[in-house]
Amino acid sequence: MGQDLGSDIPRWAVVSAVAAPITIITTWTLAASLQDDGYDPVRDTLSWLATQAAVAPRLGACGFALTGMAHIITAVGLRPVPRAGRLMLGLGGLATVGVALLPTDRTHTAHMGAAGVAFVAMATWPAVARDAAGLGRMAPWSGAAAASGMSVMLGWYWLELQALIPGQGARKGLAERIVAVTQSLWPLAVVLAVRAEPGSGTSERAAAAVAASVGAATPRWAAWTPWARARA
């Protein structure tokens, strides 16, 4: 029997991974509900909810700050994941906290810089964390696939933000929300995959692919992987 890598992830890291998507969705929903009829979540960005023009700017800022802190805590607790990936995830969380501290109506350039770092780091950390040593044959494609998918979403948001596609940025709020939710869900998917019990069902295989994407699926999944059986 190999080492149970899931036991290396503390429970508080699981809590933080669960908290990140819940926090960002809850705070933006509450903050948006407080606005007048002029605010359109499909058109308008999340950053606007943290400006002085918003009804509850502190609520919007807290959403960014708490979500960023949750990602930092998750990065610290993801011990089976290679250090480079954890550092990139932590950088994404730190930059997200920076977004909260640098509202766009006061420090637009700094805000955009922090947001750019946060989005790029959160989109690319699965590729950085993937199993570079080839431990698990799913690793080369699953981590890259996750990073590629989030990068495409991020590209769509950038095009909307720059009004470079039809609609002149009419869907930038929707694009940002899809990117933010997806990026917040991937760390949770990794945590749950690494902690999941091995098995041969579809869900277990999907979990194995996610775990392998960050190089955390070697001995734990050896009983399932067909290439490991072939070597036995």
Side-chain angles (χ1 to χ4, degrees):
M1 295 295 291
Q3 178 187 4
D4 185 348
L5 298 180
S7 64
D8 291 337
I9 300 180
R11 291 184 179 179
W12 46 264
V14 180
V15 173
S16 64
V18 172
I22 292 177
T23 298
I24 192 64
I25 292 173
T26 300
T27 54
W28 94 41
T29 301
L30 289 176
S33 69
L34 297 175
Q35 309 309 312
D36 56 29
D37 294 336
Y39 183 81
D40 183 354
V42 174
R43 180 195 63 219
D44 299 320
T45 65
L46 297 175
S47 295
W48 189 90
L49 295 172
T51 66
Q52 292 303 308
V55 173
R58 291 184 179 179
L59 178 60
C62 282
F64 287 121
L66 293 176
T67 301
M69 291 173 63
H71 287 319
I72 294 172
I73 294 171
T74 302
V76 173
L78 272 176
R79 296 166 184 165
V81 174
R83 183 175 299 177
R86 296 168 64 194
L87 288 175
M88 186 66 76
L89 175 58
L91 174 62
L94 183 62
T96 303
V97 174
V99 170
L101 299 176
L102 302 166
T104 185
D105 58 333
R106 295 184 180 181
T107 56
H108 180 72
T109 301
H111 175 89
M112 294 303 293
V117 171
F119 277 127
V120 171
M122 294 298 298
T124 57
W125 85 272
V128 175
R130 74 180 184 86
D131 183 5
L135 303 175
R137 296 183 182 180
M138 292 183 179
W141 65 261
S142 50
S148 297
M150 287 188 280
S151 295
V152 169
M153 296 177 194
L154 182 57
W156 171 40
Y157 171 54
W158 184 84
L159 291 173
E160 290 283 354
L161 201 60
Q162 301 300 318
L164 294 177
I165 56 178
Q168 299 296 306
R171 296 177 295 274
K172 60 180 178 290
L174 174 63
E176 183 182 23
R177 283 162 171 78
I178 291 176
V179 173
V181 170
T182 304
Q183 292 185 345
S184 291
L185 285 174
W186 186 254
L188 174 59
V190 170
V191 168
L192 295 180
V194 176
R195 288 180 61 89
E197 291 298 327
S200 57
T202 301
S203 60
E204 288 84 357
R205 295 187 183 191
V210 173
S213 73
V214 291
T218 38
R220 180 169 177 77
W221 297 97
W224 171 80
T225 50
W227 53 89
R229 291 175 180 172
R231 291 198 300 264

